[in-house]
Amino acid sequence: MSKDNLLNLLEAEAGKYVSGEEISQKLQVSRTAVWKKIRKLTSEGYIIEAVPRLGYRLSGKPSHLSVHELLPKLNTKSFGRALHLLDVVPSTQDEVRRLADQGAAEGTLVIAEQQTKGRGRMGRSWASPKGKGIWMSLLLRPPVPLPLTPQLTLLAAVALSRGISRLVPITIGIKWPNDLLVNGKKISGILLESAAEDERLRYVIVGMGISVNLDPEDYPEELLEKAISLKMASGAVIDRSELIAVILEEFERLYALYLEQGFAPIRSLWEAHSVTLNNHTVLNTPQGQVQGIPRELDDMGGLRIELEDGSFKTIYSAVIDS
Ligand code: BTN
């Protein structure tokens, strides 16, 4: 008997007591073996009530992610099928890079409960407290020219936004290029890193950080003005495995659409979710500050800004502060 069989049996009874006798008959094992497995599950954080003459009842699950919980929820062909669930790592980006260099398949996913050196865009750090968020990196091997990789950043933002909206009743806006905001506060960030050889794209690592069940005390005070978690925004604790599953499903679907039809449909979806378009914006680019009104995306994924004199400038890399 594996502990998964026992867990499936208790879960199938949905909160009802199952006697030790019934378990041992159904799983064809001794009562002692049942007891040992129950102890193993409780040591992993499952809450199992044991009542004489009634039996066992599953009344709580560990708050950490488990492959057992996640895999049955996945509704994808390749995304997340090679799944590495880790406890503490410096950054999931580095884990995926190592796997990619060893030939890992597209869709390989690394998730960590905690990152000690999580990183964000523009060399910033990314706080990743234990068990509270989704800190994950996905490997893609897109057959596209290197200069088009920014399009995948925008695609990732749409996928996350659609995935979250399926589970959590909140309105999400995308700030260019890929910050997800709720009421102007950031709930998620995406970091795209790529590897190329002789100007040819080898792979892309899409790093996704989603503040799921963080509480106000998990944030440094100065960040509370700018950041929020899904739990704080919606008032409910969110099941992280379910959220990962719907995000991967949306991501895989949009990625297939992109490979088939190109950037145009992604661009329209991004524009529909954007909170940057048509609002006066200050952009800090590597070449200096640019101010104006972003009007649309260009074919590569750059942002077309209408300047004060009516001319247009396209920006490919910038930080927007507010
Ligand atoms: C940003 O908004 O600046 C991007 C943040 C990206 C954070 C994620 S968490 C998982 C992955 N691992 C990292 O070190 N960073 C990304």
Side-chain angles (χ1 to χ4, degrees):
M1 168 186 61
S2 80
K3 69 179 181 0
D4 286 357
N5 292 342
L6 173 57
L7 208 47
N8 289 341
L9 201 157
L10 292 174
E11 273 177 341
E13 291 304 317
K16 287 199 228 105
Y17 284 96
V18 192
S19 72
E21 183 60 37
E22 188 181 335
I23 299 174
S24 74
Q25 270 177 17
K26 281 198 173 146
L27 301 181
Q28 300 275 296
V29 290
S30 70
R31 298 279 296 268
T32 319
V34 172
W35 172 236
K36 279 193 184 149
K37 290 292 173 199
I38 295 273
R39 282 207 358 222
K40 174 97 182 55
L41 286 170
T42 51
S43 74
E44 288 174 13
Y46 289 90
I47 301 170
I48 298 171
E49 296 167 57
V51 176
R53 281 189 293 281
L54 278 177
Y56 302 102
R57 181 170 83 153
L58 180 65
S59 60
K61 292 180 187 171
S63 62
H64 59 253
L65 292 164
S66 77
V67 173
H68 166 86
E69 293 253 327
L70 189 50
L71 277 182
K73 291 182 178 145
L74 282 189
N75 204 2
T76 54
K77 285 201 196 82
S78 69
F79 283 24
R81 292 290 163 186
L83 178 62
H84 301 254
L85 195 50
L86 306 171
D87 193 31
V88 186
V89 289
S91 164
T92 52
Q93 295 292 95
D94 301 334
E95 297 299 318
V96 170
R97 186 174 295 274
R98 199 173 42 76
L99 294 165
D101 288 337
Q102 290 165 5
E106 178 161 84
T108 296
L109 183 74
V110 172
I111 311 176
E113 286 289 5
Q114 183 184 0
Q115 298 184 114
T116 51
K117 288 206 174 94
R119 55 180 183 266
R121 290 178 62 231
M122 307 281 173
R124 294 175 175 171
S125 65
W126 180 264
S128 323
K130 189 160 196 149
K132 297 255 180 162
I134 295 176
W135 325 125
M136 64 181 183
S137 301
L138 177 71
L139 174 63
L140 298 180
R141 295 185 179 276
V144 299
L146 185 60
L148 294 188
T149 44
Q151 297 178 339
L152 292 161
T153 307
L154 305 165
L155 186 157
V158 177
L160 252 69
S161 158
R162 287 165 67 103
I164 295 170
S165 302
R166 273 173 57 180
L167 271 198
V168 192
I170 48 174
T171 306
I172 297 173
I174 306 176
K175 183 172 105 174
W176 188 83
N178 56 14
D179 284 350
L180 301 195
L181 307 184
V182 175
N183 294 331
K185 295 186 176 184
K186 180 160 168 171
I187 49 151
S188 171
I190 297 161
L191 173 69
L192 210 91
E193 294 177 336
S194 50
E197 207 173 75
D198 300 331
E199 299 295 303
R200 195 184 62 83
L201 182 62
R202 285 178 54 221
Y203 58 79
V204 169
I205 305 170
V206 186
M208 294 164 265
I210 310 163
S211 304
V212 184
N213 291 323
L214 279 78
D215 296 299
E217 52 276 20
D218 295 316
Y219 292 90
E221 194 149 338
E222 65 279 7
L223 254 191
L224 276 175
E225 272 172 32
K226 295 187 187 168
I228 194 165
S229 71
L230 293 174
K231 179 182 170 192
M232 285 154 66
S234 69
V237 174
I238 314 295
D239 181 327
R240 287 183 299 155
S241 329
E242 293 218 1
L243 189 52
I244 292 169
V246 287
I247 287 170
L248 291 178
E249 197 182 323
E250 290 295 332
F251 208 141
E252 193 177 79
R253 193 180 296 151
L254 284 180
Y255 184 63
L257 181 71
Y258 172 73
L259 295 184
E260 206 187 293
Q261 296 183 20
F263 184 53
I266 308 301
R267 173 179 168 175
S268 308
L269 288 169
W270 188 95
E271 288 181 345
H273 283 85
S274 161
V275 290
T276 305
L277 295 185
N278 302 319
N279 288 314
H280 185 268
T281 306
V282 179
L283 297 106
N284 299 305
T285 79
Q287 291 76 37
Q289 213 176 63
V290 176
Q291 293 198 34
I293 303 181
R295 292 297 185 195
E296 59 178 2
L297 295 176
D298 79 352
D299 291 342
M300 312 269 286
L303 192 59
R304 296 218 335 123
I305 321 279
E306 185 178 345
L307 305 176
E308 216 162 85
D309 63 5
S311 67
F312 276 80
K313 189 177 176 73
T314 305
I315 301 292
Y316 293 97
S317 168
V319 171
I320 302 174
D321 280 332
S322 54

Short mmCIF file of all heavy atoms in Angstrom, two decimals, residues 138-180:
data_model
loop_
_atom_site.label_atom_id
_atom_site.label_comp_id
_atom_site.label_asym_id
_atom_site.label_seq_id
_atom_site.Cartn_x
_atom_site.Cartn_y
_atom_site.Cartn_z
N LEU A 138 9.34 28.27 -15.65
CA LEU A 138 8.91 27.35 -16.71
C LEU A 138 9.89 27.43 -17.87
O LEU A 138 10.29 28.53 -18.28
CB LEU A 138 7.51 27.81 -17.17
CG LEU A 138 6.85 27.08 -18.32
CD1 LEU A 138 6.42 25.68 -17.89
CD2 LEU A 138 5.62 27.87 -18.80
N LEU A 139 10.25 26.27 -18.41
CA LEU A 139 11.18 26.23 -19.55
C LEU A 139 10.42 26.19 -20.87
O LEU A 139 9.56 25.34 -21.07
CB LEU A 139 12.07 24.99 -19.43
CG LEU A 139 13.02 24.72 -20.59
CD1 LEU A 139 14.05 25.83 -20.74
CD2 LEU A 139 13.73 23.38 -20.41
N LEU A 140 10.77 27.13 -21.76
CA LEU A 140 10.19 27.12 -23.11
C LEU A 140 11.32 27.02 -24.13
O LEU A 140 12.41 27.56 -23.91
CB LEU A 140 9.40 28.41 -23.37
CG LEU A 140 8.19 28.69 -22.48
CD1 LEU A 140 7.54 30.00 -22.90
CD2 LEU A 140 7.19 27.55 -22.56
N ARG A 141 11.03 26.34 -25.22
CA ARG A 141 12.01 26.27 -26.31
C ARG A 141 11.30 26.74 -27.59
O ARG A 141 11.05 25.94 -28.50
CB ARG A 141 12.54 24.85 -26.46
CG ARG A 141 13.34 24.36 -25.24
CD ARG A 141 13.95 22.99 -25.48
NE ARG A 141 14.73 22.50 -24.36
CZ ARG A 141 16.00 22.79 -24.11
NH1 ARG A 141 16.65 23.63 -24.91
NH2 ARG A 141 16.64 22.26 -23.09
N PRO A 142 10.95 28.03 -27.65
CA PRO A 142 10.14 28.50 -28.78
C PRO A 142 10.96 28.63 -30.07
O PRO A 142 12.07 29.15 -30.03
CB PRO A 142 9.66 29.89 -28.31
CG PRO A 142 10.65 30.32 -27.29
CD PRO A 142 11.26 29.09 -26.69
N PRO A 143 10.39 28.18 -31.18
CA PRO A 143 11.10 28.30 -32.46
C PRO A 143 10.92 29.69 -33.05
O PRO A 143 10.33 29.85 -34.10
CB PRO A 143 10.43 27.22 -33.32
CG PRO A 143 9.04 27.11 -32.77
CD PRO A 143 9.09 27.51 -31.32
N VAL A 144 11.37 30.71 -32.33
CA VAL A 144 11.19 32.09 -32.83
C VAL A 144 12.54 32.81 -32.80
O VAL A 144 13.43 32.44 -32.03
CB VAL A 144 10.15 32.90 -31.97
CG1 VAL A 144 8.79 32.26 -31.99
CG2 VAL A 144 10.63 33.09 -30.55
N PRO A 145 12.68 33.85 -33.64
CA PRO A 145 13.94 34.60 -33.64
C PRO A 145 14.16 35.31 -32.30
O PRO A 145 13.20 35.75 -31.66
CB PRO A 145 13.76 35.62 -34.76
CG PRO A 145 12.56 35.19 -35.53
CD PRO A 145 11.72 34.36 -34.64
N LEU A 146 15.42 35.42 -31.92
CA LEU A 146 15.78 36.02 -30.64
C LEU A 146 15.12 37.39 -30.36
O LEU A 146 14.62 37.61 -29.26
CB LEU A 146 17.31 36.13 -30.60
CG LEU A 146 17.98 36.61 -29.32
CD1 LEU A 146 17.67 35.68 -28.16
CD2 LEU A 146 19.50 36.68 -29.53
N PRO A 147 15.07 38.30 -31.35
CA PRO A 147 14.50 39.62 -31.04
C PRO A 147 13.01 39.58 -30.67
O PRO A 147 12.47 40.56 -30.18
CB PRO A 147 14.69 40.43 -32.33
CG PRO A 147 15.69 39.68 -33.12
CD PRO A 147 15.58 38.24 -32.73
N LEU A 148 12.35 38.45 -30.90
CA LEU A 148 10.91 38.40 -30.60
C LEU A 148 10.61 37.92 -29.17
O LEU A 148 9.44 37.86 -28.77
CB LEU A 148 10.17 37.50 -31.61
CG LEU A 148 10.15 38.01 -33.05
CD1 LEU A 148 9.23 37.14 -33.91
CD2 LEU A 148 9.68 39.47 -33.13
N THR A 149 11.65 37.59 -28.41
CA THR A 149 11.38 37.04 -27.06
C THR A 149 10.56 37.97 -26.16
O THR A 149 9.79 37.48 -25.33
CB THR A 149 12.66 36.61 -26.32
OG1 THR A 149 13.63 37.60 -26.50
CG2 THR A 149 13.17 35.30 -26.82
N PRO A 150 10.65 39.32 -26.30
CA PRO A 150 9.80 40.15 -25.43
C PRO A 150 8.30 39.86 -25.59
O PRO A 150 7.52 40.07 -24.67
CB PRO A 150 10.12 41.58 -25.88
CG PRO A 150 11.48 41.50 -26.47
CD PRO A 150 11.57 40.14 -27.09
N GLN A 151 7.93 39.32 -26.74
CA GLN A 151 6.51 38.98 -26.94
C GLN A 151 6.05 37.92 -25.93
O GLN A 151 4.90 37.91 -25.49
CB GLN A 151 6.30 38.44 -28.36
CG GLN A 151 6.60 39.46 -29.43
CD GLN A 151 6.43 38.89 -30.83
OE1 GLN A 151 6.46 37.68 -31.04
NE2 GLN A 151 6.27 39.77 -31.81
N LEU A 152 6.99 37.04 -25.55
CA LEU A 152 6.64 35.99 -24.60
C LEU A 152 6.41 36.54 -23.20
O LEU A 152 5.66 35.99 -22.40
CB LEU A 152 7.74 34.92 -24.57
CG LEU A 152 7.83 34.11 -25.86
CD1 LEU A 152 9.16 33.41 -25.98
CD2 LEU A 152 6.69 33.10 -25.92
N THR A 153 7.08 37.65 -22.92
CA THR A 153 6.87 38.32 -21.63
C THR A 153 5.42 38.78 -21.53
O THR A 153 4.76 38.63 -20.51
CB THR A 153 7.78 39.56 -21.54
OG1 THR A 153 9.09 39.16 -21.82
CG2 THR A 153 7.70 40.24 -20.23
N LEU A 154 4.94 39.34 -22.63
CA LEU A 154 3.57 39.87 -22.65
C LEU A 154 2.57 38.71 -22.63
O LEU A 154 1.55 38.77 -21.93
CB LEU A 154 3.37 40.74 -23.89
CG LEU A 154 4.40 41.89 -24.00
CD1 LEU A 154 4.41 42.49 -25.39
CD2 LEU A 154 4.11 42.97 -22.97
N LEU A 155 2.92 37.64 -23.34
CA LEU A 155 2.07 36.44 -23.35
C LEU A 155 1.94 35.89 -21.92
O LEU A 155 0.84 35.54 -21.47
CB LEU A 155 2.69 35.41 -24.28
CG LEU A 155 1.91 34.13 -24.56
CD1 LEU A 155 2.39 33.53 -25.90
CD2 LEU A 155 2.03 33.06 -23.51
N ALA A 156 3.07 35.85 -21.21
CA ALA A 156 3.05 35.31 -19.83
C ALA A 156 2.12 36.15 -18.95
O ALA A 156 1.36 35.61 -18.13
CB ALA A 156 4.46 35.30 -19.26
N ALA A 157 2.16 37.46 -19.12
CA ALA A 157 1.31 38.32 -18.29
C ALA A 157 -0.17 38.04 -18.55
O ALA A 157 -0.98 37.98 -17.62
CB ALA A 157 1.62 39.79 -18.56
N VAL A 158 -0.51 37.84 -19.81
CA VAL A 158 -1.92 37.54 -20.14
C VAL A 158 -2.32 36.19 -19.54
O VAL A 158 -3.39 36.03 -18.96
CB VAL A 158 -2.15 37.55 -21.68
CG1 VAL A 158 -3.58 37.18 -22.00
CG2 VAL A 158 -1.81 38.91 -22.27
N ALA A 159 -1.41 35.21 -19.66
CA ALA A 159 -1.71 33.86 -19.13
C ALA A 159 -1.95 33.92 -17.62
O ALA A 159 -2.91 33.34 -17.11
CB ALA A 159 -0.56 32.91 -19.45
N LEU A 160 -1.09 34.63 -16.92
CA LEU A 160 -1.25 34.71 -15.46
C LEU A 160 -2.54 35.43 -15.10
O LEU A 160 -3.28 35.00 -14.21
CB LEU A 160 -0.06 35.49 -14.85
CG LEU A 160 0.92 34.63 -14.07
CD1 LEU A 160 1.67 33.72 -15.01
CD2 LEU A 160 1.89 35.48 -13.29
N SER A 161 -2.79 36.50 -15.81
CA SER A 161 -3.97 37.28 -15.50
C SER A 161 -5.24 36.45 -15.74
O SER A 161 -6.17 36.43 -14.92
CB SER A 161 -3.92 38.54 -16.37
OG SER A 161 -5.16 39.06 -16.51
N ARG A 162 -5.28 35.71 -16.84
CA ARG A 162 -6.46 34.88 -17.13
C ARG A 162 -6.59 33.73 -16.14
O ARG A 162 -7.68 33.38 -15.69
CB ARG A 162 -6.39 34.33 -18.56
CG ARG A 162 -6.66 35.40 -19.60
CD ARG A 162 -6.22 34.93 -20.97
NE ARG A 162 -7.02 33.83 -21.47
CZ ARG A 162 -7.97 33.96 -22.38
NH1 ARG A 162 -8.25 35.15 -22.88
NH2 ARG A 162 -8.63 32.92 -22.81
N GLY A 163 -5.45 33.13 -15.79
CA GLY A 163 -5.48 32.01 -14.84
C GLY A 163 -5.99 32.47 -13.48
O GLY A 163 -6.90 31.86 -12.90
N ILE A 164 -5.44 33.57 -12.99
CA ILE A 164 -5.86 34.06 -11.66
C ILE A 164 -7.34 34.41 -11.67
O ILE A 164 -8.09 34.07 -10.76
CB ILE A 164 -4.99 35.27 -11.23
CG1 ILE A 164 -3.53 34.85 -11.05
CG2 ILE A 164 -5.53 35.89 -9.93
CD1 ILE A 164 -2.56 36.00 -10.86
N SER A 165 -7.77 35.08 -12.75
CA SER A 165 -9.18 35.51 -12.81
C SER A 165 -10.16 34.32 -12.80
O SER A 165 -11.31 34.49 -12.42
CB SER A 165 -9.45 36.34 -14.06
OG SER A 165 -8.61 37.43 -14.06
N ARG A 166 -9.69 33.16 -13.23
CA ARG A 166 -10.59 31.99 -13.20
C ARG A 166 -10.87 31.53 -11.78
O ARG A 166 -11.90 30.93 -11.50
CB ARG A 166 -9.96 30.82 -13.98
CG ARG A 166 -10.29 30.90 -15.46
CD ARG A 166 -9.55 29.86 -16.26
NE ARG A 166 -9.76 28.49 -15.84
CZ ARG A 166 -9.20 27.44 -16.43
NH1 ARG A 166 -8.40 27.63 -17.46
NH2 ARG A 166 -9.42 26.23 -16.00
N LEU A 167 -9.94 31.80 -10.87
CA LEU A 167 -10.11 31.32 -9.49
C LEU A 167 -10.47 32.39 -8.48
O LEU A 167 -11.11 32.12 -7.48
CB LEU A 167 -8.78 30.71 -9.00
CG LEU A 167 -8.47 29.26 -9.24
CD1 LEU A 167 -7.37 28.82 -8.30
CD2 LEU A 167 -9.69 28.38 -9.01
N VAL A 168 -10.01 33.62 -8.74
CA VAL A 168 -10.17 34.66 -7.73
C VAL A 168 -10.99 35.81 -8.33
O VAL A 168 -10.62 36.34 -9.39
CB VAL A 168 -8.79 35.20 -7.27
CG1 VAL A 168 -8.93 36.07 -6.03
CG2 VAL A 168 -7.82 34.06 -7.00
N PRO A 169 -12.10 36.18 -7.68
CA PRO A 169 -12.96 37.21 -8.27
C PRO A 169 -12.43 38.63 -8.04
O PRO A 169 -12.95 39.38 -7.22
CB PRO A 169 -14.30 37.00 -7.54
CG PRO A 169 -13.92 36.39 -6.22
CD PRO A 169 -12.62 35.67 -6.41
N ILE A 170 -11.36 38.98 -8.75
CA ILE A 170 -10.81 40.34 -8.65
C ILE A 170 -10.46 40.81 -10.06
O ILE A 170 -10.27 39.99 -10.96
CB ILE A 170 -9.52 40.39 -7.78
CG1 ILE A 170 -8.56 39.28 -8.19
CG2 ILE A 170 -9.82 40.31 -6.30
CD1 ILE A 170 -7.23 39.34 -7.49
N THR A 171 -10.37 42.13 -10.21
CA THR A 171 -10.02 42.66 -11.53
C THR A 171 -8.52 42.90 -11.58
O THR A 171 -7.97 43.61 -10.75
CB THR A 171 -10.77 43.99 -11.78
OG1 THR A 171 -12.15 43.73 -11.56
CG2 THR A 171 -10.55 44.49 -13.19
N ILE A 172 -7.90 42.30 -12.57
CA ILE A 172 -6.44 42.41 -12.69
C ILE A 172 -6.10 43.27 -13.90
O ILE A 172 -6.68 43.11 -14.98
CB ILE A 172 -5.82 41.01 -12.87
CG1 ILE A 172 -6.11 40.17 -11.62
CG2 ILE A 172 -4.31 41.11 -13.10
CD1 ILE A 172 -5.70 38.74 -11.75
N GLY A 173 -5.17 44.20 -13.70
CA GLY A 173 -4.70 45.01 -14.83
C GLY A 173 -3.23 44.71 -15.07
O GLY A 173 -2.49 44.39 -14.13
N ILE A 174 -2.80 44.80 -16.33
CA ILE A 174 -1.39 44.56 -16.63
C ILE A 174 -0.68 45.90 -16.86
O ILE A 174 -1.09 46.69 -17.71
CB ILE A 174 -1.20 43.69 -17.89
CG1 ILE A 174 -1.99 42.38 -17.78
CG2 ILE A 174 0.28 43.39 -18.12
CD1 ILE A 174 -1.93 41.51 -19.04
N LYS A 175 0.35 46.12 -16.06
CA LYS A 175 1.19 47.31 -16.27
C LYS A 175 2.36 46.89 -17.15
O LYS A 175 3.00 45.88 -16.87
CB LYS A 175 1.70 47.82 -14.90
CG LYS A 175 2.52 49.07 -14.99
CD LYS A 175 2.82 49.62 -13.60
CE LYS A 175 4.25 49.35 -13.23
NZ LYS A 175 4.67 49.95 -11.98
N TRP A 176 2.62 47.65 -18.20
CA TRP A 176 3.65 47.25 -19.15
C TRP A 176 5.01 47.06 -18.49
O TRP A 176 5.38 47.87 -17.65
CB TRP A 176 3.78 48.33 -20.25
CG TRP A 176 4.70 47.89 -21.36
CD1 TRP A 176 4.37 47.11 -22.43
CD2 TRP A 176 6.08 48.21 -21.50
NE1 TRP A 176 5.48 46.92 -23.22
CE2 TRP A 176 6.54 47.59 -22.67
CE3 TRP A 176 6.99 48.96 -20.73
CZ2 TRP A 176 7.85 47.69 -23.12
CZ3 TRP A 176 8.30 49.06 -21.16
CH2 TRP A 176 8.72 48.43 -22.35
N PRO A 177 5.76 46.02 -18.82
CA PRO A 177 5.37 44.99 -19.77
C PRO A 177 4.55 43.86 -19.13
O PRO A 177 3.70 43.30 -19.78
CB PRO A 177 6.72 44.44 -20.27
CG PRO A 177 7.67 44.67 -19.13
CD PRO A 177 7.18 45.92 -18.42
N ASN A 178 4.83 43.56 -17.83
CA ASN A 178 4.19 42.35 -17.32
C ASN A 178 3.94 42.32 -15.82
O ASN A 178 3.93 41.26 -15.22
CB ASN A 178 5.02 41.12 -17.73
CG ASN A 178 6.45 41.22 -17.25
OD1 ASN A 178 6.75 42.06 -16.42
ND2 ASN A 178 7.30 40.38 -17.75
N ASP A 179 3.76 43.48 -15.21
CA ASP A 179 3.36 43.45 -13.78
C ASP A 179 1.85 43.30 -13.70
O ASP A 179 1.11 43.98 -14.43
CB ASP A 179 3.71 44.79 -13.09
CG ASP A 179 5.19 44.90 -12.79
OD1 ASP A 179 5.89 43.88 -12.93
OD2 ASP A 179 5.62 46.00 -12.42
N LEU A 180 1.39 42.44 -12.79
CA LEU A 180 -0.06 42.32 -12.61
C LEU A 180 -0.47 43.15 -11.39
O LEU A 180 0.12 43.01 -10.32
CB LEU A 180 -0.48 40.87 -12.38
CG LEU A 180 -0.15 39.86 -13.47
CD1 LEU A 180 -0.94 38.58 -13.25
CD2 LEU A 180 -0.43 40.38 -14.86
#
